[in-house]
Amino acid sequence: MNITIFGSGYVGLVTAVCFADVGNDVLCVDVDAGKIARLQAGDVPIYEPGLEDLLRKNSAEGRLRFTTDAAAGVAHGLFQFIAVGTPPNEDGSADLKYVLEVARTIGRHMTEYRLVVSKSTVPVGTADKVRAAIAETLNARKAQFEFDVASNPEFLKEGDAIGDFNKPDRIIVGVDSPRAAKHLQALYAPFNRNHDRVIVMDLRSSELTKYAANAMLATKISFMNELANLAEKIGADIEKVRIGIGADPRIGYHFIYPGAGYGGSCFPKDVKALVKSAADVDFDAAILRAVEQVNNFQKTTLHLKLNKHLGSLKGKTIAIWGLAFKPRTDDMREAPSRVLIESILADGGSVRAYDPVAMHEAGKIFDGQAGFQLVDGPLAAAEGADALVVVTEWRVFQSPDLAKLKQLLKQPLIIDGRNLYDPAWMRAQGFTYDCVGRPAVAAQ
């Protein structure tokens, strides 16, 4: 099948390479000429395991191409996927200007039936706006061509997006015509062979399903972080509580790990957007507001623990392990590390940081910031530091050389935002160890 994808960001690229890899002819359209030139050269501007290899393979075999020519994109694909950004406005609402501009572009150039599919995460009712934008543009041309609009939200985890696309839990298809449903079921057949994963529903339900899924996961994270903070106050161990409640199949173990708060491009933005969508129809989404409030506080807890142990951070050096908002990605959008680093620098402290993948991204974010230094390894970060803070649970941090680490630190203080280590063991090794939702231990 011929597929056009508008937008060559994270969602657009993963969608493109996975569709191309099963034999489709995919054309990616983007207004950023520099990005298109990089992609044509096989250079992927984001980090996602397996993405670059698939892009180069399918480009070399002629199934995947990149262009800035929007008219060529509209002419190419029966399927016109919209996978552009929907950045948050100041009030938390999703900015649809890029989505609607693509819709108008399709309307300007289409000369026959097209199925316009929204992959972008968008508020309920966006499909209606896309349809109206295309219709208005066609009317201005005095042209009459049939088209359908569909909602097909993505459920890709950063760090495992290729696997999620190829072996999906579900494929949500929001449509208002049998024709659109039939086309999309045929398109997804290669990803749907074991059992039927396609769930067909109306457009508005599909749009809400995406927000609801992310909001539910964010809620689980904030709930566990709230319990963790309570556990610290009353002397309980949140890790034992987690195992106890996770054994209940109605709850399960997914997304109940306490930590330093959620970040990334999806959860913060989508919770805000859903709260704003609720307010727009005079509904108070009280639970979602609390989820956001708890998460904002949780991102400050590592800094508070540093203050508890060190007092003023002025003149202190803090080692940070992990900058990305989670492992297997270089994404630092809304990352807890950013809140921590900004707080340390504001207090007059300095930071020595390491991340296996996100160093380049961190360099761009903190470029020119006095007191911020990127180093080439975990132990290099710890050298001469007054404390070590673990922010991201990369595997390389899970079994460190504790004897060497103790020698390098000015004092054996570790603040663990991901509960990687056993407190009793850390105490026995001579560390003061403070983590999330468990009693802190002092060095023996």
Side-chain angles (χ1 to χ4, degrees):
M1 298 183 181
N2 289 349
I3 302 168
T4 296
I5 298 177
F6 283 91
S8 59
Y10 185 84
V11 173
L13 282 181
V14 172
T15 302
V17 300
C18 291
F19 275 142
D21 204 45
V22 295
N24 296 298
D25 187 353
V26 180
L27 181 62
C28 278
V29 181
D30 201 290
V31 296
D32 186 337
K35 182 188 288 187
I36 290 297
R38 288 182 64 182
L39 291 167
Q40 288 171 337
D43 181 14
V44 177
I46 58 174
Y47 177 81
E48 177 63 35
L51 180 59
E52 189 166 84
D53 289 343
L54 280 180
L55 183 143
R56 290 179 176 178
K57 171 186 174 228
N58 285 282
S59 296
E61 294 173 0
R63 293 187 298 271
L64 178 60
R65 293 172 291 126
F66 302 93
T67 185
T68 58
D69 188 342
V74 177
H76 173 76
L78 167 66
F79 299 91
Q80 300 278 308
F81 278 88
I82 301 177
V84 295
T86 53
N89 291 311
E90 288 187 9
D91 62 0
S93 62
D95 187 345
L96 298 178
K97 64 183 177 184
Y98 303 118
V99 171
L100 296 179
E101 180 54 37
V102 172
R104 287 187 284 269
T105 297
I106 294 169
R108 277 194 293 272
H109 297 294
M110 63 185 289
T111 57
E112 57 184 326
Y113 171 79
R114 289 292 180 259
L115 173 52
V116 182
V117 187
S118 175
K119 268 285 181 194
S120 301
T121 300
V122 293
V124 174
T126 299
D128 297 333
K129 295 178 180 179
V130 168
R131 178 184 286 105
I134 296 172
E136 288 169 6
T137 308
L138 286 173
N139 287 339
R141 292 173 54 196
K142 294 184 169 38
Q144 292 185 342
F145 302 109
E146 290 188 355
F147 67 93
D148 284 311
V149 175
S151 167
N152 175 219
E154 52 84 16
F155 298 95
L156 306 175
K157 297 187 297 291
E158 290 191 51
D160 197 23
I162 302 297
D164 285 343
F165 197 100
N166 287 329
K167 296 181 179 179
D169 298 318
R170 75 288 208 196
I171 301 166
I172 301 297
V173 170
V175 294
D176 60 3
S177 80
R179 173 174 56 182
K182 184 177 179 181
H183 281 311
L184 284 165
Q185 285 170 324
L187 178 64
Y188 276 106
F191 308 94
N192 198 34
R193 300 188 64 172
N194 187 33
H195 63 273
D196 191 5
R197 296 179 176 89
V198 175
I199 303 172
V200 179
M201 58 183 71
D202 62 279
L203 287 161
R204 289 184 170 237
S205 296
S206 174
E207 291 168 334
L208 183 56
T209 296
K210 169 61 178 179
Y211 275 127
N214 281 352
M216 174 62 80
L217 296 175
T219 300
K220 292 182 74 173
I221 294 170
S222 280
F223 178 76
M224 283 305 294
N225 283 335
E226 181 126 293
L227 281 183
N229 295 336
L230 175 61
E232 288 187 20
K233 297 285 187 182
I234 61 180
D237 185 335
I238 194 62
E239 290 299 324
K240 292 182 171 62
V241 174
R242 178 183 64 79
I243 293 168
I245 66 174
D248 185 333
R250 296 171 301 174
I251 298 172
Y253 291 107
H254 293 296
F255 281 82
I256 61 169
Y257 288 87
Y262 60 77
S265 62
C266 296
F267 289 4
K269 175 173 69 74
D270 293 353
V271 170
K272 285 183 176 71
L274 194 50
V275 169
K276 180 60 169 61
S277 293
D280 288 344
V281 291
D282 296 322
F283 181 78
D284 179 18
I287 290 176
L288 294 179
R289 285 192 295 103
V291 166
E292 186 177 14
Q293 180 181 1
V294 168
N295 191 61
N296 289 337
F297 171 75
Q298 198 67 19
K299 290 181 180 181
T300 70
T301 56
L302 299 180
H303 179 239
L304 293 173
K305 288 178 183 291
L306 282 172
N307 288 146
K308 179 178 75 173
H309 290 280
L310 297 177
S312 170
L313 299 183
K314 187 174 182 180
K316 301 287 198 312
T317 299
I318 308 301
I320 291 181
W321 284 3
L323 297 165
F325 85 95
K326 71 172 190 175
R328 292 171 60 83
T329 180
D330 63 350
D331 194 344
M332 288 184 63
R333 285 172 288 185
E334 303 275 353
S337 66
R338 297 179 65 164
V339 175
L340 176 61
I341 292 167
E342 288 163 4
S343 299
I344 294 169
L345 297 180
D347 285 352
S350 60
V351 170
R352 292 168 58 84
Y354 172 75
D355 187 284
V357 168
M359 302 283 272
H360 179 69
E361 189 65 22
K364 292 191 295 184
I365 293 169
F366 294 103
D367 182 38
Q369 286 262 36
F372 180 77
Q373 181 183 3
L374 293 168
V375 296
D376 60 5
L379 293 178
E383 186 172 2
D386 294 280
L388 165 64
V389 186
V390 180
V391 186
T392 313
E393 63 276 31
W394 286 97
R395 287 180 64 85
V396 71
F397 303 146
Q398 293 183 11
S399 186
D401 183 339
L402 294 179
K404 183 67 172 175
L405 189 58
K406 189 177 178 183
Q407 290 176 356
L408 291 171
L409 289 167
K410 280 186 184 177
Q411 53 185 304
L413 172 60
I414 296 180
I415 310 295
D416 183 359
R418 298 298 173 181
N419 290 359
L420 294 187
Y421 315 122
D422 176 68
W425 174 250
M426 296 302 290
R427 183 183 183 188
Q429 301 307 304
F431 286 90
T432 295
Y433 179 70
D434 198 347
C435 50
V436 180
R438 297 186 288 182
V441 296
Q444 286 184 332

